[in-house]
Amino acid sequence: CFLSLQKREISNFDYLMYLNTLAGRSYNDYMQYPVFPWVLADYHSETLNLTNPHTFRDLSKPMGAQTVERKQKFIQRFNEVEKNLSAQCHYCTHYSSAIIVASYLVRMEPFTQTFCSLQGGSFDVADRMFHSVKSTWESASRDNMSDVRELTPEFFYLPEFLTNANHFELGCMQDGTVLGDVQLPPWADGDPHKFILLHRQALESDYVSAHLHRWIDLIFGHKQHGSAAVEAVNTYHPYFYGDKVDLNSIKDPLIKSTILGFISNFGQIPKQV
């Protein structure tokens, strides 16, 4: 199948969906929902230049290592964590979880009800809601040490999730902005269909086709865990590696319940393929 990808016999989108399926990810499970990469780093230009390498995210690095400064902070956490915590890792949050999926797709049912259920029955504080592609990228790639989220497949084919067609009252941000449709990059001209079109073109671009295998190594391949993951600044809390947690060996029901809740709420590493 990878040979077919190299020969451009299948699209990058189809190949990623194939890998997600092999790894046990499914649209039917919010906790193991298909995961797709951020492919762009340009959410500020008036026009999108897909021939410029600087337009794109560094696919060889996880979201926590997109800037040198942030990468060093996570390396420092990894080196110091043994003194303070029981689990040594770079990240205590995950790149895909039920709440991340529901937050992205909150403007559509049934994700609206799922999101509210996960939030205790109501929408989150407006400033924490998904409201801007640019600000979400900046949070996940640079600004927020608790945010290393990737994307869902809908970012590449479904413009409807970007509009508040159901007129949900999502709240008002501290700066007075009333949440409605998702704010799009300037190059999308405020048009969700144009955003999806250009975003899909970016996914299928020559640059992404040449570098996508590096991201696949991080998420689905040999850099998931072990020394390769440490070197790549790509290790997560041990509970995220669900298939490596031996629940049968844990006799305390409270501890076992806590671990299961952690795995369910905060995400799981895909099966290695």
Side-chain angles (χ1 to χ4, degrees):
C1 190
F2 182 63
L3 187 60
S4 297
L5 180 69
Q6 288 181 317
K7 293 180 177 179
R8 296 296 185 93
E9 292 175 356
I10 62 173
S11 68
N12 291 338
F13 182 92
D14 288 339
Y15 186 64
L16 287 171
M17 284 303 302
Y18 175 72
L19 286 177
N20 272 283
T21 301
L22 282 181
R25 315 292 285 191
S26 168
Y27 283 118
N28 297 320
D29 186 350
Y30 294 170
M31 293 179 290
Q32 297 192 75
Y33 206 76
V35 56
F36 269 58
W38 289 95
V39 294
L40 294 174
D42 183 355
Y43 298 97
H44 56 270
S45 297
E46 293 295 328
T47 58
L48 191 62
N49 183 359
L50 297 181
T51 64
N52 183 354
H54 296 293
T55 297
F56 297 91
R57 166 257 182 102
D58 187 341
L59 288 161
S60 70
K61 296 181 175 64
M63 289 303 291
Q66 289 298 304
T67 70
V68 174
E69 181 183 11
R70 195 170 193 232
K71 176 182 177 181
Q72 290 305 316
K73 287 181 179 178
F74 281 120
I75 291 174
Q76 183 179 1
R77 171 191 284 178
F78 182 89
N79 291 333
E80 294 179 350
V81 75
E82 282 186 313
K83 305 172 186 176
N84 306 306
L85 302 171
S86 58
Q88 188 175 32
C89 60
H90 294 108
Y91 314 115
C92 296
T93 55
H94 200 253
Y95 49 77
S96 179
S97 66
I99 193 64
I100 289 172
V101 171
S103 68
Y104 279 146
L105 306 175
V106 68
R107 290 163 178 80
M108 301 189 311
E109 292 290 11
F111 300 98
T112 312
Q113 292 303 314
T114 299
F115 182 83
C116 290
S117 177
L118 292 170
Q119 285 294 130
S122 62
F123 292 119
D124 198 0
V125 175
D127 286 84
R128 291 201 298 259
M129 296 280 286
F130 172 53
H131 66 277
S132 162
V133 177
K134 178 177 180 285
S135 65
T136 301
W137 159 255
E138 290 173 347
S139 172
S141 68
R142 187 188 69 198
D143 296 338
N144 188 344
M145 291 290 285
S146 298
D147 184 2
V148 292
R149 77 188 106 166
E150 295 279 6
L151 301 181
T152 64
E154 287 81 2
F155 276 82
F156 301 93
Y157 72 85
L158 190 68
E160 287 78 11
F161 87 96
L162 297 165
T163 63
N164 187 22
N166 292 313
H167 304 292
F168 292 120
E169 294 185 5
L170 302 173
C172 182
M173 298 175 65
Q174 289 185 4
D175 65 4
T177 302
V178 177
L179 295 197
D181 297 345
V182 176
Q183 296 172 13
L184 302 176
W187 45 259
D189 295 327
D191 182 350
H193 290 83
K194 184 173 182 179
F195 172 84
I196 294 295
L197 175 65
L198 293 175
H199 207 213
R200 183 64 171 265
Q201 288 178 359
L203 178 64
E204 305 299 339
S205 67
D206 290 341
Y207 180 90
V208 173
S209 296
H211 296 86
L212 186 58
H213 67 283
R214 298 180 181 277
W215 182 83
I216 290 170
D217 286 343
L218 295 169
I219 306 300
F220 299 104
H222 74 285
K223 293 183 179 180
Q224 268 191 351
H225 53 79
S227 59
V230 174
E231 186 176 346
V233 193
N234 192 45
T235 66
Y236 297 80
H237 192 285
Y239 290 168
F240 293 145
Y241 300 84
D243 59 340
K244 300 187 183 305
V245 178
D246 185 8
L247 292 172
N248 293 325
S249 66
I250 301 172
K251 304 304 181 184
D252 189 320
L254 182 59
I255 294 176
K256 183 179 291 188
S257 176
T258 300
I259 294 174
L260 284 171
F262 192 98
I263 294 171
S264 298
N265 289 315
F266 296 104
Q268 296 181 51
I269 301 292
K271 295 176 183 176
Q272 188 171 348
V273 297

